[in-house]
Structures are given as C-alpha cells and as structure tokens.
Amino acid sequence: MQSFHLNLLVVFAVSIIPGLLWVSFFYKKDAHEPEPKRLVLTSFIYGGLMVFPAALIELPFRNIVRGGPQNLLSLFLVSLFVVGVAEEGLKYLAVRLSAYDSPEFDEVMDGIIYSVSAALGFAALENLFYAVSFGLVVGAFRAFVTSLAHASFSGIQGYYLGRSKFAGADAGNLIVKGLSMAILLHGVYDFLIIGQLMPPVLGIAMVVLLYW
C-alpha cells in the first residue's frame, strides 16, 4: 500500500508540477504588468476541469485515434474536427469562465497569459491520466513537450482573444480567427504525430517553432 501511494505521488508530481513550472515560465514573460496569481491559477484549474467534457466528446472516436496510420483520412477528420475543436473550444471556454470578464483582464497580453494557463491546466490533468495508463516515461515526455504544444496552440488563440476584448464590433471575428488557427494547428499536429507521419524529433521542433 505504501508503494502504491508513493507511485501515485510520483505520477502526480511528474504530471502536475511541470505544468505549474510552465505556468511560472509564461507568467514571468508578462513582466510589465503581471496578472493576479489567483486569477492565473483559477484559469489553470478551469482548464484542467475541461479534460472531462473533452474526454466524453472524444470517447466515441477513440478507436480511430488508436488505429493511428491505419486510416489516415478518418484520423485527419477526427484530429481536426473532434479533438481540435473540442479541446481548443473547451480551453477557450475555460478562459471565458475564469478570467475574461475580470477587470484585471485589461490588455492584449492578458489573453495570452490566461489562455496559456488554461491550456497548461488541461495538459497537466491529461498527462496525469496518460502517466497512470502508459507509465512515467510517457507522462514525463508529455509533461514537457505536449504541454508546450497545448500552451502554444492556446497562446495563439489567446492573442486574438486579448485583442477581442478591446475590439468592439470586430470582437467576434477575432475570436473566430484565433480559435480557427488554434484548431487547425492542433489538429494537424495530432494527425502528424498519431499518424506517424512525423518523427518525434521533428514533432519537438514543430512545438518549439509554434512557441516562437
């Protein structure tokens, strides 16, 4: 029993702590006017909670995803229109519910910070389930590489969300544009990785490029 609890603690640490470290990394990028830590953490938690509805939406399509390169057309459609739409849409919703209407959300950069925080919360809890199911090595890899991918997709979306806050009548167009870009990037990334059309090393390079 003690060994079980120790293993559970290690899995939790490997999954959640890197997510919080990534949040700290991005938080420090906003050195001019840092956001309230409470609100950033709230976005992180809301993002984590979005894993559950995302899992329910994706559940009927898991056999297609697990099939990998066996049916590339189906995999592409699911990666883009199920996984991409569900996960990026729910991460966007996490920010709308947790931070968007706060008076502290008062500059474009805030959209990036809160969106990245929500994405990292989503990635952290998702990584926890992967680590439990597939082991610490998978969990550790995802904690650093996949977390940065989630943050990058949502960071791009967050930039447009931040602009929408002050755009008046054009706000809806900016939100749609940001979400569309995030969904496309997320879907294509998942398709290339799951379909084994891109070596892991190139996958890491792609994530770094997206972050940049």
Side-chain angles (χ1 to χ4, degrees):
M1 182 63 71
Q2 184 176 0
S3 175
F4 172 78
H5 287 156
L6 180 60
N7 289 337
L8 191 61
L9 184 61
V10 170
V11 167
F12 183 84
V14 166
S15 305
I16 304 300
I17 291 178
L20 292 172
L21 291 175
W22 276 123
V23 170
S24 176
F25 171 79
F26 282 100
Y27 182 80
K28 291 176 182 177
K29 295 292 182 183
D30 190 14
H32 173 65
E33 189 181 342
E35 298 309 299
K37 294 179 181 178
R38 169 190 55 78
L39 208 52
V40 173
L41 183 60
T42 300
S43 298
F44 182 87
I45 293 171
Y46 271 62
L49 293 174
M50 293 301 166
V51 167
F52 298 104
L56 290 175
I57 293 169
E58 296 168 13
L59 184 61
F61 306 93
R62 63 180 178 180
N63 288 335
I64 294 175
V65 174
R66 289 177 179 176
Q70 294 178 13
N71 190 336
L72 290 179
L73 178 58
S74 295
L75 178 61
F76 176 75
L77 294 174
V78 169
S79 296
L80 187 62
F81 295 109
V82 178
V83 179
V85 170
E87 296 191 4
E88 294 307 322
L90 287 166
K91 287 185 286 182
Y92 161 77
L93 180 61
V95 179
R96 289 301 299 251
L97 293 174
S98 63
Y100 188 79
D101 292 327
S102 169
E104 302 290 347
F105 194 132
D106 56 5
E107 59 177 350
V108 174
M109 182 67 178
D110 296 353
I112 299 175
I113 296 299
Y114 292 124
S115 295
V116 165
S117 181
L120 290 169
F122 185 98
L125 196 59
E126 185 182 59
N127 293 343
L128 176 63
F129 293 133
Y130 269 89
V132 170
S133 300
F134 302 107
L136 288 176
V137 174
V138 172
F141 177 83
R142 289 182 57 87
F144 289 96
V145 178
T146 308
S147 292
L148 184 57
H150 273 289
S152 299
F153 304 142
S154 294
I156 293 169
Q157 186 272 127
Y159 165 71
Y160 288 95
L161 182 62
R163 286 179 58 190
S164 76
K165 180 88 172 184
F166 316 100
D170 198 38
N173 291 332
L174 288 169
I175 290 172
V176 170
K177 183 177 181 179
L179 266 174
S180 298
M181 291 177 65
I183 289 167
L184 178 62
L185 290 169
H186 191 148
V188 170
Y189 174 81
D190 277 10
F191 170 68
L192 293 175
I193 294 295
I194 299 170
Q196 300 176 20
L197 300 174
M198 181 170 59
V201 173
L202 286 182
I204 295 172
M206 180 180 176
V207 169
V208 173
L209 179 63
L210 284 170
Y211 159 72
W212 177 79

